[in-house]
C-alpha cells in the first residue's frame, strides 16, 4: 500500500475515448485524482 | 480515466468512494481523503491549499474527528489485519472476479467477490460490485440508493448473526 510521501506507481488507465493515460503524464504538475463510481 | 481493474483501490486500500488523492509535482502522494466530496467546504479548502502550496501531508477518513488534520496512516484499513498470504488470496479473488465478469460469467464473479468480502466485510466498493451483478434492476435505469441502504442494513444484520455469507445450512 502506498504511504504518504511515497512515490505513486506509474499506473495507466484508459480514458473515456480509449486513449491510455499514465500518471507520469502529469509529472511536473500537481495532480488531484478524484475517484468515484457511477453506482 | 477508468480504473476497470481497481488498481488504485488495491494500491491505496480504500473501501469506499468517492475519494481524492493529492499527488505533488514529483509524483509523491501528499494527501489521501477517503469520503471526499467537493461540495463540502473543508474539501474545497484542501484543494485550494493544495493548489497554492499550503497543504501539509495529510490522510483523512470518514471516521476522523471533524476538523482534524487526519488520522495516522495505517489505521484506515480493516484488511490490514490479514496476513500477507491472506492478503494475496483476497486480492486474487477480486481480480478473478473481474476476469470472470469480463468473460460473461457474472454469478461466478459475484461468488468470488463474496469470498473476498468475507475476508474484509468493510470493503463497500466490493459489496456494491456484488449488488450490481446480482441486483441489476436496482442500478438501471435509476440507481436506488434507498434500496442500497436497506440492503446494507440487511446484510450487516445477517453478518452479525451468521457471518458475511449468511447462515450455513447444516448437513444432514
Amino acid at each position: 500500500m502506498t504511504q504518504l510521501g511515497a512515490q505513486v506507481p506509474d499506473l495507466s488507465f484508459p480514458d473515456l475515448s480509449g486513449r491510455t493515460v499514465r500518471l507520469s503524464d502529469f509529472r511536473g504538475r500537481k495532480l488531484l485524482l478524484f475517484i468515484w463510481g457511477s453506482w | 480515466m477508468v480504473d476497470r481493474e481497481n488498481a488504485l483501490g488495491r494500491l491505496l486500500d480504500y473501501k469506499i468512494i468517492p475519494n481524492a488523492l493529492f499527488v505533488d509535482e514529483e509524483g509523491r502522494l501528499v494527501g489521501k481523503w477517503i469520503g471526499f466530496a467537493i461540495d463540502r467546504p473543508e474539501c474545497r479548502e484542501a484543494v485550494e491549499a493544495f493548489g497554492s502550496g499550503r497543504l501539509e501531508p495529510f490522510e483523512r477518513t470518514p471516521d476522523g474527528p471533524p476538523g482534524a488534520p487526519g488520522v495516522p496512516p495505517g489505521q484506515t484499513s480493516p484488511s490490514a489485519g490479514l496476513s500477507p498470504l491472506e492478503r494475496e488470496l483476497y486480492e486474487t479473488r477480486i481480480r478473478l472476479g473481474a476476469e470472470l465478469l469480463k468473460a460473461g460469467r457474472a454469478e461466478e464473479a459475484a461468488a468470488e467477490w463474496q469470498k473476498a468480502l468475507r475476508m474484509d466485510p468493510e470493503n463497500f466498493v466490493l459489496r456494491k460490485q456484488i449488488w450490481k451483478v446480482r441486483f441489476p434492476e436496482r442500478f438501471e435505469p435509476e440507481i436506488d440508493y434507498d434500496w442500497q441502504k436497506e440492503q446494507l442494513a440487511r446484510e450487516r444484520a445477517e453478518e452479525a448473526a451468521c457471518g458475511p455469507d449468511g447462515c450455513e445450512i447444516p448437513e444432514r
Side-chain angles (χ1 to χ4, degrees):
Chain A
M1 184 170 66
T2 300
Q3 299 290 349
L4 282 184
Q7 288 282 328
V8 177
D10 187 20
L11 301 173
S12 63
F13 305 95
D15 67 12
L16 292 178
S17 63
R19 187 176 64 98
T20 298
V21 179
R22 304 195 70 87
L23 295 186
S24 60
D25 295 342
F26 301 91
R27 193 65 54 86
R29 288 180 284 171
K30 290 175 178 167
L31 174 63
L32 176 65
L33 288 167
F34 179 55
I35 302 155
W36 62 282
S38 59
W39 39 228
Chain B
M1 294 186 284
V2 184
D3 187 4
R4 295 183 193 281
E5 310 296 332
N6 192 33
L8 284 169
R10 291 201 306 275
L11 184 70
L12 296 157
D13 204 26
Y14 55 73
K15 314 296 171 58
I16 63 169
I17 50 174
N19 305 316
L21 306 176
F22 299 73
V23 181
D24 71 8
E25 294 89 334
E26 281 76 47
R28 293 179 301 235
L29 181 68
V30 295
K32 175 180 172 184
W33 193 318
I34 308 299
F36 182 92
I38 197 61
D39 57 342
R40 287 167 52 196
E42 64 268 35
C43 294
R44 287 202 300 273
E45 287 166 12
V47 173
E48 289 166 3
F50 180 53
S52 62
R54 293 180 287 109
L55 188 73
E56 295 294 325
F58 74 99
E59 182 170 345
R60 287 282 298 262
T61 73
D63 296 324
V71 297
Q75 293 189 8
T76 60
S77 170
S79 64
L82 298 177
S83 70
L85 187 60
E86 288 170 330
R87 176 95 199 164
E88 185 65 29
L89 178 59
Y90 169 76
E91 292 180 358
T92 298
R93 283 177 166 155
I94 293 174
R95 286 197 297 272
L96 176 57
E99 292 300 318
L100 287 166
L101 188 66
K102 276 196 277 187
R105 296 158 65 178
E107 183 47 42
E108 291 172 81
E112 284 302 324
W113 288 335
Q114 191 74 45
K115 290 175 190 172
L117 187 64
R118 185 194 306 164
M119 301 175 77
D120 183 6
E122 299 306 315
N123 191 333
F124 191 62
V125 175
L126 187 57
R127 194 182 290 270
K128 274 191 137 182
Q129 284 288 103
I130 296 168
W131 292 346
K132 181 81 162 51
V133 167
R134 290 186 167 158
F135 307 99
E137 71 281 5
R138 298 294 183 179
F139 293 83
E140 298 284 347
E142 298 290 331
I143 301 171
D144 188 344
Y145 291 108
D146 289 337
W147 175 86
Q148 290 187 13
K149 290 176 190 167
E150 293 163 7
Q151 182 68 7
L152 180 62
R154 277 192 293 272
E155 292 185 4
R156 291 276 197 224
E158 289 173 5
E159 289 161 16
C162 304
D165 280 345
C167 297
E168 288 187 18
I169 299 172
E171 293 183 17
R172 293 180 186 277

